[in-house]
Amino acid sequence: MVDKTILTVSNVCKQYDQRLVLSGVSFSASAGESVVIAGANGSGKSTLLRIVCGLTTLSSGEVTWQTQEGALSPTQMLRRLGYVSPELGLYDRLSAFEHLETFARLRCLQLGPDVLSETLRRFGLGESMHRAVGEFSSGMKQRVKLALATIHSPDVLVLDEPSSNLDEDGRQLVRELIHEVARHGLVLLATNEVQEVAEYGQTVLRLD
Amino acid sequence: MDKLSCVWISLVALLRKDFVEELRAKYAMGSLLMFALVTLTVVSFAVGAFHPDAAIHAALLWITVFFTGMSGLGRGFVKEEEARTAVLLRLAATPDTVFAGKLLFNAAVMIAVTTLIYAMYIVLMGISGSLLLLYAVMLLGTLGMACGTTLLAAVVAQAGNQAMLLPVMALPVLMPLLMVAVNASRIALEGGAPGEMLGLLAFLASFPVVIVAVSLLLFEYVWHN
């Protein structure tokens, strides 16, 4: 699937009640590319990412993922990608380690405690991996989300404001992840930060 | 690893997560146990002295079980949507695994609570009859309730977390089950033998199978829309 993944978004519209959030959005992207979706607050960046991931239905238009296994709908693609968003919650009473362990098993990955601990250390959570996530700062929670999104080494990484709440170390981590995945896969990134648009925006899609 | 082993590993992971969370937060068990305790206490004060017949006891038992179930069975999906963790599950687990995990969790919780209701009812109301048979009827009925409610709980969670919708939506689905369960419980309380209610027991045993089969067909649509 790796080097053949192509995303095609054709004339996508999304309407909530009477409010049109997205109107006729079209673009395509393929593996090895990073696409930045930029735009003002409320311009529909997060909605577009959710539609592309199959987490929100579209009002009209079409989204297809072309993989080596054929054309997949966003819903079929859902479990193959990594997704980070401010709208994603965590289980307050579980630790970061328990999160990673549970979601690795849900994905049927056989990762031992050493690998999980090492992953959490890479994400700067080595000291606090056994503390309940409910006690974490928002930056630490963002690191857990990033770890969860990349535990299965996805070929497609969908990031909605990935640097929000992160310190400089965390931002560097995001940079590394994006460059790592964009070498062989596809990165879709929604951001308002000018620096991120300039740094990652091989292709920039503006929603205004 | 083969597909069956994968499903099993995922299912155990989901169940383990739900039980660990439940042990730490006591979301479902706390509210269910309190509801059952209060209801049974009120029932015993209200009718305990009048020595009601088996039909009244059967009705009171199932009213308690039904509303206790409705007060907690919807929580599984509602709390995932409220905490915005449902998306995490959508990203990592197949819809079938999520449905099976939530169903098994609901069934385990309801069986535990029903066992408590059964024991408390015997103590508080001093009922007699074929009590083991009554327990079997209650377990089968409870299993049917858990199966019938799991899909509806997912629908309710998507509909703006309106937990009060659950009893309204569940009643028509569970009505045949409740009618049979009340009837079978009455026979058991009158001291009847299993042979006198084979048809009723067959219905109670097949209800969960039919409901789970239908739910598995519909759940993916509900889960993703």
Side-chain angles (χ1 to χ4, degrees), chain B:
Chain B
M1 195 185 301
D2 64 282
K3 200 176 171 188
L4 198 63
S5 308
C6 267
V7 170
W8 179 247
I9 289 170
S10 305
L11 188 58
V12 171
L14 187 60
L15 269 175
R16 191 169 160 226
K17 172 197 80 70
D18 280 345
F19 277 109
V20 167
E21 269 206 296
E22 179 57 35
L23 284 172
R24 291 178 190 168
K26 297 172 184 66
Y27 286 118
M29 283 303 275
S31 61
L32 290 179
L33 288 178
M34 279 314 294
F35 190 94
L37 192 68
V38 170
T39 310
L40 286 175
T41 309
V42 171
V43 166
S44 73
F45 278 135
V47 298
F50 298 108
H51 304 295
D53 63 17
I56 304 284
H57 276 307
L60 289 173
L61 253 178
W62 280 101
I63 287 169
T64 310
V65 171
F66 176 77
F67 284 105
T68 303
M70 291 306 111
S71 72
L73 283 177
R75 287 295 304 160
F77 283 109
V78 169
K79 78 177 162 64
E80 298 279 6
E81 295 290 346
E82 278 176 356
R84 295 177 298 164
T85 48
V87 177
L88 279 181
L89 292 181
R90 287 187 183 98
L91 286 161
T94 63
D96 290 351
T97 305
V98 174
F99 177 77
K102 294 294 179 191
L103 169 61
L104 290 174
F105 180 77
N106 279 346
V109 169
M110 270 311 287
I111 284 171
V113 172
T114 299
T115 303
L116 188 86
I117 291 174
Y118 166 79
M120 281 180 65
Y121 203 89
I122 292 172
V123 172
L124 291 172
M125 305 295 282
I127 52 172
S128 58
S130 306
L131 292 182
L132 270 179
L133 186 56
L134 174 67
Y135 185 55
V137 168
M138 287 183 72
L139 286 186
L140 285 173
T142 298
L143 189 63
M145 259 184 71
C147 294
T149 316
T150 302
L151 178 71
L152 296 176
V155 175
V156 166
Q158 303 271 17
N161 302 339
Q162 298 172 40
M164 284 310 294
L165 272 179
L166 187 59
V168 178
M169 288 175 68
L171 190 62
V173 176
L174 298 181
M175 185 61 87
L177 177 85
L178 288 172
M179 287 164 66
V180 171
V182 169
N183 208 4
S185 300
R186 179 187 54 77
I187 295 171
L189 285 163
E190 285 169 347
E196 295 173 40
M197 55 162 110
L198 279 180
L200 300 179
L201 288 174
F203 180 90
L204 290 174
S206 51
F207 185 88
V209 179
V210 174
I211 288 287
V212 167
V214 173
S215 299
L216 282 172
L217 289 174
L218 297 174
F219 184 74
E220 185 167 356
Y221 179 80
V222 171
W223 185 234
H224 285 304
N225 292 282

Side-chain angles (χ1 to χ4, degrees), chain A:
Chain A
M1 171 188 119
V2 179
D3 48 350
K4 294 282 184 186
T5 303
I6 300 171
L7 164 67
T8 311
V9 176
S10 312
N11 210 19
V12 162
C13 297
K14 179 67 184 177
Q15 194 166 352
Y16 288 111
D17 298 323
Q18 297 300 312
R19 198 166 62 91
L20 193 63
V21 180
L22 292 171
S23 171
V25 177
S26 300
F27 71 96
S28 64
S30 51
E33 210 175 327
S34 58
V35 178
V36 170
I37 299 164
N41 291 338
S43 58
K45 301 187 295 292
S46 302
T47 304
L48 180 60
L49 288 189
R50 283 204 308 271
I51 287 173
V52 160
C53 295
L55 291 167
T56 298
T57 52
L58 36 73
S59 304
S60 65
E62 195 181 22
V63 175
T64 33
W65 289 90
Q66 191 65 46
T67 70
Q68 279 187 336
E69 294 155 41
L72 299 179
S73 71
T75 310
Q76 290 169 317
M77 193 65 190
L78 185 59
R79 285 188 300 281
R80 298 165 179 235
L81 43 81
Y83 176 71
V84 176
S85 161
E87 293 167 11
L88 210 57
L90 295 170
Y91 298 95
D92 280 351
R93 287 183 173 78
L94 299 187
S95 68
F97 185 88
E98 286 168 332
H99 271 85
L100 226 58
E101 188 183 36
T102 301
F103 283 89
R105 287 183 182 169
L106 280 175
R107 290 183 181 280
C108 201
L109 302 172
Q110 289 185 302
L111 305 178
D114 294 347
V115 177
L116 298 176
S117 302
E118 191 46 47
T119 305
L120 286 166
R121 267 192 283 276
R122 185 194 170 194
F123 283 86
L125 297 165
E127 299 290 305
S128 41
M129 67 172 85
H130 294 295
R131 268 171 51 202
V133 160
E135 299 170 14
F136 279 15
S137 69
S138 43
M140 290 163 84
K141 286 181 180 171
Q142 184 72 354
R143 288 166 186 257
V144 177
K145 290 181 197 176
L146 288 164
L148 288 173
T150 50
I151 193 170
H152 55 301
S153 312
D155 296 318
V156 179
L157 198 53
V158 180
L159 304 170
D160 187 359
E161 309 283 358
S163 303
S164 60
N165 303 311
L166 288 177
D167 54 20
E168 194 40 52
D169 283 352
R171 284 166 187 260
Q172 179 57 32
L173 191 67
V174 171
R175 250 173 242 131
E176 285 170 20
L177 287 176
I178 290 174
H179 288 306
E180 224 171 87
V181 175
R183 267 202 294 273
H184 63 276
L186 170 61
V187 178
L188 295 173
L189 171 75
T191 185
N192 274 322
E193 300 208 15
V194 181
Q195 193 191 335
E196 285 183 342
V197 176
E199 190 173 352
Y200 310 122
Q202 255 181 356
T203 308
V204 179
L205 177 72
R206 291 202 178 273
L207 299 177
D208 289 310

